[in-house]
Every structure is written in C-alpha cells, then in structure tokens.
C-alpha cells in the first residue's frame, strides 16, 4: 500500500440503493416511415444526377444509422447521388482519417447506409460575417449540387442562444472542419454563441442547402421525433424544435451532491464528454444549471471517443483505467479548438475505481459516513437508473419522479477495484 492509498484507506464508502428517475417518454416508433412522409410532403428540391452531400456528425444520435440510411435512400429515389461528409469540426484529432474512423465507430459506413464517406479537411472560404471573419465549409460539400444538414437538435454545453446544437451549428462548426471551427471559437468562449450564430447564418445564405433533417431525443436517449425543413424554414423552425428538446431533458433530482461518480465520459455522449448542466460544473463562465457538486470522479472513457477525453478536466479525480485511454493529442486539439484548454487538463489519477470513490469522499469534506450524499450515474445521457446513498435519497424533497428499486447495499467492486454496477 503506497502513501496515497494509505491516506484514503480509512474513508468508508456509504451503501447505496438503485433509484429509477422518470422523464419524458415520447418515442418515435416508425422513424423511416415518418421521415419519408415528411420528405415527400416538403418536396425537397433534388434533381436526377445531383451530387448530394449529407453531413455526418460525431455524436451517438439515437437511430443514427436508420435515419442516415433512410435519407440516402430518399436521395437515390430522386435519381441523385448521395455521399457523406464528416461534419465534426476538429474531432477525430482534426484529421480526415480520424473523422472517417469516428463515423465507422458510430456505424456510419458505406456498407451500412449505402453511400460512400468522403472525408477531407480541405475547406473553401464561402463568405465573411458582419464582423469580417471568414466562413469556411468542407470543400467536397461546397462543390456538391446540394447539401443535406443532418443532426440532432439539443442544448449546447456553453451556448445559450436561440440556436444551440443543431443544424445552424452543423454549418458553423461541423462542416467548417478544424480550420473553420477554430475560427468560430476564435473570439473566446464568452462570444462563442453569438459568433456561432453569425457564422451559421452567413453560411446558410451561401450554401445550396437542399434540406435539414433534425432529430430530438427523449429523456432516455431514445428517438423522440424527426423533422424535415427546407432551407427557407430553417431559421424559424430550429428554435421551436430546440424548445421541445429542452422540455425532454433528463436531470438528477438533487440540488446538492457531496460526491458524484460518473462511470463513463465520451464524445459520443457530449461535446465536453459530460454535460456540465448535469454534473454541476459550468464552463464558458456560465451560471451553474445543475446541482452543486462538491467532488466529481470519472471512471472510464467510451470507446467511441477514440481517445479524446476532452472534458475530463472538469473532474477532481479520474481512474487509471480512464487515464490509459487518453490520446493527449486528440484531446488537446479538440479542447484548444473549442477555446477550453482547461477541460483537457488531466485530474488527479488514482490507481483503482474504488480509490476514486474514496478520493471524492475525502475531498467532499463530509466526514460523517451517514451524511454523505453520494450519487453514481452511468453517464450524463443515461440518468434513468442511478444509485444514491441514504443521505442523498433523503435530501430529495419531491419524490414524485423517482422510485426506489432496491435495498441499500455495499457498492460492488471486483478484485482489481473496478466498479461492477454498470
């Protein structure tokens, strides 16, 4: 036992119970059927022979493969030729190969959806914003006969404009590749939101956008609905879709947490690996939208992140399991592009996941075991089944949207100190 382990050895981990939280359950069962109906009803202007670029983002969107495959089919039915362009800013290490690999991980390949992935970091300057900043777009998309913007609409970790993560951002940051994403972020984090909107609107004026295909998710990461908008409808309809998505957001039903353990972070989960509004760690100088969290520990990195651990810097402790998976170059490129180098900082690394729990307990300053408000979540997108200590559970005043599903139990770890709950 080393000195650090000796220091933490006396910190007991409280028992927890399994708790179900209930959120909006709206679910779209026949996505292909509805998407096809909306597409034909909108009379999307695509002609036979057109080369159509479809955006492929880096997020793990619910029903992603089905939605993409359906759009590809609809384009082909019009006699056009679809291809997919990775539209993910600086993700994938800011390389063409890395971005194609990210789509591979998400199941978006020519074999699975029926259209080739054409990946390049080359961009074309297509406009200037009202402030004189250049607007860049993926060269292959720019040279296509039309573009289909495909993305999930949701809140953004640090943007609070009427447009956040969605179709406008797909042009301002996603299709802008590394060069354009860096430019959009170049005015600093306080100006990111307004600048993103300016860049997106300038791009929309110049691009031959054939359609926007947007999806929203319910509180269980399931596909809640799909939308098809024409170019001239996008600016008006996207904020309306965003407001519906916001109403479905899941959360932890606690205001104050002594120790929060996140089992996994990842780029497929959030642009910052973890949603700051869920973990109570605001960035971009924003007010805290989530619970007050005294100590935060993170255990693992999702395989879909491909080593990009941007966001781990929000934690107080990480496990050695997570540390070993970090590609520092990918993480640094992404965090610097987003003007948030602090979230790429590597926190105190502890040898086992059990030690992460004990480190958080010590750092919380709560020395009475029975009063430690401990919460364990799988990730910030999966909040329907979480674990709480008795003190955490008792602190919830309104228990309408929760259900206790087990007795209190010791937290299970394997012989290597790895958590066995998820």
């Amino acid at each position: 036992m080393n000195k650090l382990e000796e220091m933490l050895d006396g910190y007991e981990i409280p028992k927890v119970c399994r708790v179900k939280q209930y959120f909006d359950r709206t679910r779209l069962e026949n996505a292909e059927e509805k998407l096809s109906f909306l597409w034909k009803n909108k009379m999307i202007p695509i002609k036979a022979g057109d080369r159509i670029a479809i955006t492929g983002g880096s997020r793990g969107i619910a029903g992603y493969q089905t939605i993409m495959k359906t759009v590809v089919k609809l384009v082909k039915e019009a006699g056009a030729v679809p291809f997919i362009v990775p539209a993910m800013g600086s993700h994938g290490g800011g390389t063409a190969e890395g971005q194609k690999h990210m789509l591979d991980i998400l199941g978006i390949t020519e074999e699975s959806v029926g259209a080739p992935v054409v990946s390049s970091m080359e961009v074309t300057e297509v406009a200037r914003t009202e402030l004189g900043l250049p607007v860049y777009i993926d060269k292959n998309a720019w040279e296509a006969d039309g573009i289909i913007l495909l993305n999930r609409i949701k809140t953004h970790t640090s943007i609070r404009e009427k447009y956040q993560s969605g179709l406008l951002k797909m042009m301002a940051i996603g299709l802008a590749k590394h060069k354009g994403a860096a430019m959009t972020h170049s005015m600093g984090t306080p100006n990111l939101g307004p600048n993103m909107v300016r860049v997106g609107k300038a791009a929309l004026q110049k691009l031959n956008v054939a359609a926007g295909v947007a999806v929203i998710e319910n509180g269980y990461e399931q596909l809640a609905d799909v939308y098809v908008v024409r170019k001239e409808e996008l600016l008006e309809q996207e904020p309306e879709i965003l407001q519906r998505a916001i109403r479905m957001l899941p959360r932890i039903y606690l205001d104050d947490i002594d120790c929060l353990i996140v089992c996994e972070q990842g780029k497929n989960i959030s642009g910052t690996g973890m949603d700051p509004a869920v973990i109570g760690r605001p960035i971009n100088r924003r007010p805290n939208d989530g619970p007050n969290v005294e100590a935060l520990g993170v255990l693992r990195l999702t395989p879909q992140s491909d080593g990009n651990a941007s966001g781990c810097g929000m934690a107080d402790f990480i496990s050695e399991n997570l540390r070993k998976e970090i590609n520092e170059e990918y993480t640094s490129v992404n965090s610097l592009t987003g003007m948030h180098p602090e979230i790429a900082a590597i926190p105190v690394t502890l040898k086992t996941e059990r030690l992460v729990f004990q480190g958080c307990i010590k750092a919380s300053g709560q020395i009475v075991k029975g009063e430690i408000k401990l919460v364990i979540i799988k990730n910030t997108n999966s909040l329907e089944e979480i674990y709480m200590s008795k003190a955490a559970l008792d602190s919830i005043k309104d228990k309408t949207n929760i259900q206790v599903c087990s007795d209190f139990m010791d937290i299970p770890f394997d012989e290597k100190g790895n958590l066995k709950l998820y």
Side-chain angles (χ1 to χ4, degrees), residues 5 18 25 64 84 90 107 115 133 171 199 208 306 331 380:
E5 292 171 325
R18 183 163 54 90
R25 287 187 174 275
Y64 197 4
I84 298 162
S90 65
L133 296 177
M171 290 180 287
V199 174
N208 184 12
D306 200 25
T331 302
T380 57

Side-chain angles (χ1 to χ4, degrees), residues 48 62 285 298:
R285 301 180 179 90
V298 187

Side-chain angles (χ1 to χ4, degrees), residues 11 257-260 293-296 316-317 357-368 371-373:
Y11 287 88
I257 300 172
D258 294 318
C259 304
L260 176 61
V293 175
E294 194 62 37
L296 174 65
D316 298 298
F317 302 94
F357 277 77
Q358 293 173 302
C360 284
I361 290 170
K362 176 172 175 52
S364 75
Q366 180 56 264
I367 60 175
V368 181
E371 296 179 4
I372 297 171
K373 293 189 287 291

Side-chain angles (χ1 to χ4, degrees), residues 79-342:
V81 181
F83 65 98
I84 298 162
V85 290
M88 53 186 76
S90 65
H91 296 180
T95 69
E97 298 78 12
Q99 297 202 344
K100 186 176 186 299
H101 181 57
M102 288 203 75
L103 287 180
D104 288 345
I105 293 172
L106 294 171
I108 305 299
T109 65
E110 182 171 6
E111 294 72 26
S112 66
V113 302
V117 175
V118 180
S119 185
S120 169
M121 300 306 292
E122 191 174 356
V123 293
T124 300
E125 182 181 327
V126 303
R128 292 264 167 167
T129 70
E130 59 206 65
L131 299 182
L133 296 177
V135 176
Y136 297 106
I137 293 295
D138 178 281
K139 187 173 185 290
N140 291 305
W142 171 249
E143 293 177 349
D145 298 303
I147 298 171
I148 296 170
L149 303 170
L150 191 158
N151 202 14
R152 173 178 56 192
I153 291 181
K154 63 183 288 290
T155 56
H156 189 273
T157 53
S158 55
I159 295 174
R160 291 297 180 268
E161 309 301 314
K162 63 189 292 188
Y163 305 93
Q164 295 187 29
S165 283
L167 304 180
L168 204 70
K169 178 174 174 281
M170 184 58 86
M171 290 180 287
I173 295 175
L175 271 177
K177 314 301 284 195
H178 183 201
K179 185 174 183 178
M183 194 288 306
T184 298
H185 288 82
S186 65
M187 295 180 67
T189 52
N191 301 303
L192 173 59
N195 202 35
M196 184 277 286
V197 174
R198 283 191 290 267
V199 174
K201 286 183 175 180
L204 183 62
Q205 288 182 348
K206 294 293 184 179
L207 297 183
N208 184 12
V209 174
V213 175
V215 303
I216 60 173
E217 296 174 351
N218 65 19
Y220 298 87
E221 295 185 270
Q222 298 165 334
L223 185 62
D225 213 346
V226 62
Y227 299 83
V228 176
V229 299
R230 291 173 64 95
K231 177 178 180 177
E232 61 272 18
E233 300 172 324
L234 192 153
L235 291 179
E236 179 181 354
Q237 292 193 17
E238 180 168 338
E240 297 173 358
I241 299 170
L242 174 62
Q243 288 306 308
R244 187 179 176 207
I246 288 173
R247 291 193 292 271
M248 295 183 180
L249 281 176
R251 61 176 291 250
I252 301 172
Y253 292 120
L254 266 76
D255 295 325
D256 297 287
I257 300 172
D258 294 318
C259 304
L260 176 61
I261 302 295
V262 180
C263 291
E264 60 179 10
Q265 70 161 80
K267 294 300 293 185
N268 58 313
I269 294 166
S270 171
T272 50
M274 301 173 284
D275 186 340
V278 172
I279 62 174
R281 295 292 168 97
I283 60 174
N284 204 28
R285 301 180 179 90
R286 293 289 180 181
N288 185 8
D289 295 325
N292 298 310
V293 175
E294 194 62 37
L296 174 65
V298 187
L299 307 183
R300 301 160 197 164
L301 182 66
T302 63
Q304 295 92 333
S305 299
D306 200 25
N308 185 345
S310 179
C312 71
M314 293 186 286
D316 298 298
F317 302 94
I318 62 172
S319 72
E320 196 172 273
N321 288 334
L322 194 160
R323 179 67 184 87
K324 289 177 178 177
E325 295 298 321
I326 297 177
N327 182 314
E328 292 192 42
E329 181 182 358
Y330 281 20
T331 302
S332 298
V333 166
N334 188 212
S335 300
L336 282 171
T337 300
M339 299 292 283
H340 286 298
E342 73 280 2

